[in-house]
Amino acid sequence: MNQFDLTGKTALVTGASYGIGFAIAKALGQAGARIVFNDRKPDLIEKGVAAYKELGIEAHGYNCDVTDEAAVGAMVARIRQEVGVIDILVNNAGIIKRIPMCEMAAADFRQVIDIDLTGPFIVAKAVIPGMIEKGGGKIINICSMMSELGRETVSAYAAAKGGLKMLTRNIASEYGQYNIQCNGIGPGYIATPQTAPLREVQPDGSRHPFDQFILAKTPANRWGEAEDLGGPAVFLASAASDFVNGHILYVDGGILAYIGKQP
C-alpha cells in the first residue's frame, strides 16, 4: 500500500492559479488527487486550468472570494455536485501589505486579516461537514515564519498568520474526533516572480542586500523553490499523516532553528 497515494481524493486549493498554490496543487494532482481551485479573477482561472492541463492534471476552477461566506458555501456545493465531496483543503489564498504599523490604516489591517485569517475559517467551516459525513479529511493551512516571528512592516500579516497557526490547532482539537487532521505548512523565503527583484545580481556583481540577508539566515544557503512545498503537502494530505494533527511544518531551510552567521 502506498500511503502517499491520493487517487480518488478531491483537493480544493484556494488561490492556486499560480505560484505556491499552483505548485502545491500540482504535487497533489501528480499524487492522484482531483484538483479544484478558486480565484477572484476569471482570466486567472482560465490560465490556471490551461497550465494544469499542460501537466496532464485534471483541474476545475471556480470564481470565488474566500471572504464571502455565501459565495464559498455555493462554491463548495457546486464542487460536491460537479466533482465530489472535498477530501483535502489547502487554505493558500492570502495577501501581504508591507506598511509600517503606525502608517497603516485600520482598513488595510482588516483586509489582510479578512483574507489571510477569516478566509481560511470560512472555507474550513464550509468543507468540514462534508468531511465528517465522509468519515474524515485533511485541512492544510498555509502559515508562515511570521506565525512565529515578527518583522518590520508586516504587523497585519504576522497577526493573521499567528492567528492561523492557532486556528489550525483549534480545528485539530475540535474535529480530530471525526478523523479530520488539520495541520499547517510554514514556507520560508521562496523564490517566486514576486521576489525576483530581491535576488537580482547588482551592477557591481554583488548580491542584493536582502538576498544576502536571507542567505545569511538560512542554513541551506539558498532560497526555497515552490516545488519544495509539494512533498510536505502530499504528506499532510495523505494517509501517511493520519496521526499528525495540529502541527505546523516549517519548510524554511532551517531559518527558525538558526541564530544566523556572526558578522
Side-chain angles (χ1 to χ4, degrees):
M1 175 186 172
N2 178 2
Q3 289 191 92
F4 300 95
D5 184 15
L6 301 179
T7 300
K9 302 292 186 182
T10 298
L12 168 60
V13 186
T14 65
S17 299
Y18 61 92
I20 287 174
F22 182 88
I24 288 173
K26 178 177 75 171
L28 298 179
Q30 289 172 338
R34 294 182 295 267
I35 300 301
V36 291
F37 69 96
N38 79 295
D39 203 291
R40 293 184 296 178
K41 299 178 180 178
D43 60 320
L44 290 180
I45 294 171
E46 291 178 16
K47 289 179 182 177
V49 169
Y52 287 112
K53 188 174 182 180
E54 274 187 30
L55 296 170
I57 296 171
E58 178 190 353
H60 304 261
Y62 295 84
N63 182 226
C64 182
D65 180 343
V66 297
T67 67
D68 184 332
E69 189 168 9
V72 168
M75 177 183 69
V76 169
R78 276 190 63 197
I79 291 169
R80 180 174 185 142
Q81 182 179 14
E82 297 172 3
V83 185
V85 175
I86 294 165
D87 301 284
I88 301 158
L89 166 63
V90 182
N91 276 313
N92 166 75
I95 63 168
I96 186 170
K97 293 193 173 189
R98 294 181 177 88
I99 305 170
M101 179 176 163
C102 288
E103 297 172 19
M104 188 174 213
D108 287 323
F109 187 92
R110 290 190 186 102
Q111 184 185 22
V112 175
I113 297 293
D114 205 24
I115 294 171
D116 293 8
L117 179 56
T118 309
F121 163 78
I122 288 171
V123 184
K125 178 184 168 186
V127 306
I128 285 172
M131 290 179 173
I132 292 173
E133 181 185 327
K134 199 167 182 179
K138 304 280 187 174
I139 298 173
I140 303 170
N141 291 325
I142 303 304
C143 296
S144 167
M145 288 188 302
M146 299 302 111
S147 297
E148 302 289 343
L149 301 172
R151 190 168 179 272
E152 298 85 355
T153 77
V154 295
S155 58
Y157 185 78
K161 293 300 186 177
L164 187 58
K165 174 182 71 173
M166 293 312 301
L167 178 63
T168 299
R169 291 176 175 173
N170 204 80
I171 292 171
S173 301
E174 196 164 351
Y175 295 101
Q177 63 182 308
Y178 299 104
N179 190 33
I180 293 172
Q181 291 83 51
C182 182
N183 295 288
I185 292 177
Y189 284 91
I190 305 297
T192 64
Q194 289 86 348
T195 60
L198 300 175
R199 291 177 280 109
E200 287 180 354
V201 176
Q202 303 302 287
D204 63 0
S206 66
R207 290 182 178 272
H208 188 287
F210 192 80
D211 190 15
Q212 295 179 44
F213 167 71
I214 293 305
L215 294 185
K217 291 288 185 183
T218 310
N221 199 41
R222 68 173 178 89
W223 289 64
E225 301 291 338
E227 287 69 25
D228 288 321
L229 303 169
V234 170
F235 165 64
L236 292 177
S238 72
S241 62
D242 279 355
F243 204 56
V244 178
N245 214 357
H247 177 74
I248 314 297
L249 175 53
Y250 290 100
V251 186
D252 65 354
I255 290 178
L256 287 173
Y258 187 42
I259 197 171
K261 293 178 182 177
Q262 181 178 340

